[in-house]
Amino acid sequence: MPRLSSLHLWIKNYISNKHIQIPSAEIHYIISGITGISKEHLLIHKDSIVSNSDSEKIKRAVKKRGNHYPLQYIIGSEEFMGMDFLVTPGVLIPRPETELLVETALKYTADRKYRHILDLCCGSGVIGLSIARMDRYTLVSLSDNSASALRLTHKNSNRLGLSSRVKIYRGDLFSALPVRSKFDLIVSNPPYVPHNRIRHLQKEVLYEPVKAIDGGRKGLEVIKKIIQQAGSFLDEDGILIIEHDDTHKEYLETFCAGEDQPSLRYIKTIDDLAGLPRLSIFSRKHN
Ligand code: GLN
């Protein structure tokens, strides 16, 4: 059976022959993810023995990674808000900037008035489940149109021990929910990338489900629907927090005012750590 050191040599040669770059931290993730040996152990015991089948799996994974296949799909998980969430191909990989959405939501839930939460377009469930996990007082509904996304949401919810405070629905936007559902807080990271920009994104993104990313011509197609419909699903004083592209701020500032009978009022936009306008907050309009 191969030793770790010879596997490392194979990987090194593969990388240099193919003129590709894979950071060594990622190699450690791949080996540890496949063998189940901790990264710390791997670093100390450089001559550990690896089974033939694990060695083949590791080589295949390195080849995939060399073709920009996302690391998260190889190891099957991603860290978000300090927790480990399962991710599989067919579901969007959580982005660090989306933690801002969770942090902002938690500021509202800290005030006990915001208890019933909806995560719309939940994907693997990271936003809603993080809120449920970090604020034990909340009751969280999550919905998505994708069956494979919801399978993951279920698994992630169970892994985090949240199933008693979490409900999961399948369907297109708000039509997924039971009639007359009302929430204090709706959070959403819908598909919002302007269509023509998708092919210019990192190659890794091309392995992700395009329907979780493509927001139509300007990236606003789903966002507009959500803002138009959210009012009927929010309690009085209810809040919508929505993640969006950094080109959307100006449009969103005035969108509600320009509607015939707006049910929401624009409150403010918050910048992400890169200083880009990343999410906007709306409140249910008082009549
Ligand atoms: N922020 C993601 C990206 O840049 C897109 C997420 C989304 O459309 N919701 O790929």
Side-chain angles (χ1 to χ4, degrees):
M1 283 198 280
R3 285 187 183 275
L4 208 49
S5 49
S6 67
L7 195 57
H8 273 299
L9 194 62
W10 181 92
I11 294 171
K12 208 171 135 204
N13 288 336
Y14 184 82
I15 289 177
S16 76
N17 291 341
K18 295 277 176 187
H19 306 290
I20 52 178
Q21 279 177 352
I22 308 179
S24 56
E26 292 199 6
I27 303 286
H28 292 307
Y29 262 110
I30 292 174
I31 298 177
S32 160
I34 289 174
T35 59
I37 305 173
S38 77
K39 288 195 284 296
E40 295 72 25
H41 186 97
L42 288 173
L43 285 172
I44 299 166
H45 305 277
K46 294 197 170 164
D47 242 7
S48 305
I49 289 180
V50 183
S51 74
N52 282 327
S53 85
D54 277 356
S55 160
E56 287 312 308
K57 276 190 207 156
I58 290 164
K59 288 179 185 173
R60 274 201 300 277
V62 168
K63 288 178 188 170
K64 277 186 171 177
R65 189 67 195 109
N67 280 322
H68 300 279
Y69 190 77
L71 177 69
Q72 293 87 342
Y73 288 159
I74 294 173
I75 55 181
S77 66
E78 171 68 326
E79 195 191 303
F80 184 84
M81 296 301 294
M83 293 173 260
D84 205 32
F85 285 90
L86 301 177
V87 284
T88 53
V91 179
L92 189 80
I93 297 165
R95 308 288 201 265
E97 60 267 28
T98 302
E99 294 185 342
L100 181 64
L101 185 49
V102 174
E103 286 157 11
T104 307
L106 288 170
K107 289 196 185 134
Y108 283 93
T109 64
D111 172 348
R112 293 274 172 253
K113 273 196 315 198
Y114 299 89
R115 183 169 189 214
H116 292 98
I117 320 287
L118 169 67
D119 176 359
L120 196 67
C121 307
C122 65
S124 57
V126 292
I127 300 168
L129 296 177
S130 297
I131 295 171
R133 177 72 189 219
M134 299 178 87
D135 186 333
R136 295 170 51 197
Y137 187 73
T138 54
L139 299 169
V140 179
S141 297
L142 302 100
S143 75
D144 203 290
N145 213 354
S146 151
S148 47
L150 294 184
R151 270 195 293 279
L152 272 186
T153 307
H154 269 290
K155 283 190 192 163
N156 282 323
S157 163
N158 290 340
R159 272 164 61 105
L160 294 166
L162 294 172
S163 18
S164 62
R165 283 190 292 117
V166 160
K167 287 192 181 136
I168 298 170
Y169 301 100
R170 177 163 183 214
D172 188 29
L173 301 181
F174 292 101
S175 72
L177 304 167
V179 278
R180 283 193 284 279
S181 300
K182 292 276 185 196
F183 301 93
D184 304 309
L185 183 62
I186 300 176
V187 288
S188 184
N189 174 20
Y192 62 67
V193 178
H195 182 76
N196 286 336
R197 188 126 50 77
I198 291 178
R199 57 197 149 94
H200 303 296
L201 296 175
Q202 273 183 320
K203 287 187 184 142
E204 276 74 0
V205 180
L206 302 176
Y207 289 98
E208 294 189 78
V210 70
K211 64 179 190 315
I213 295 171
D214 190 345
R217 198 166 61 86
K218 290 186 176 163
L220 285 158
E221 266 168 36
V222 185
I223 290 184
K224 279 200 266 187
K225 284 190 198 161
I226 293 175
I227 296 174
Q228 281 162 337
Q229 296 169 23
S232 322
F233 295 87
L234 281 172
D235 272 321
E236 223 169 287
D237 294 329
I239 295 282
L240 165 71
I241 312 175
I242 194 158
E243 183 173 324
H244 53 74
D245 190 61
D246 54 20
T247 58
H248 290 160
K249 180 179 176 194
E250 252 171 56
Y251 184 89
L252 294 176
E253 275 170 350
T254 55
F255 176 65
C256 291
E259 288 277 278
D260 249 358
Q261 288 184 311
S263 59
L264 296 187
R265 190 162 49 95
Y266 169 84
I267 309 250
K268 62 177 170 180
T269 298
I270 299 182
D271 291 352
D272 63 20
L273 285 175
L276 300 170
R278 182 57 60 207
L279 56 87
S280 289
I281 305 180
F282 297 83
S283 82
R284 174 133 166 241
K285 201 176 161 78
H286 294 283
N287 295 313

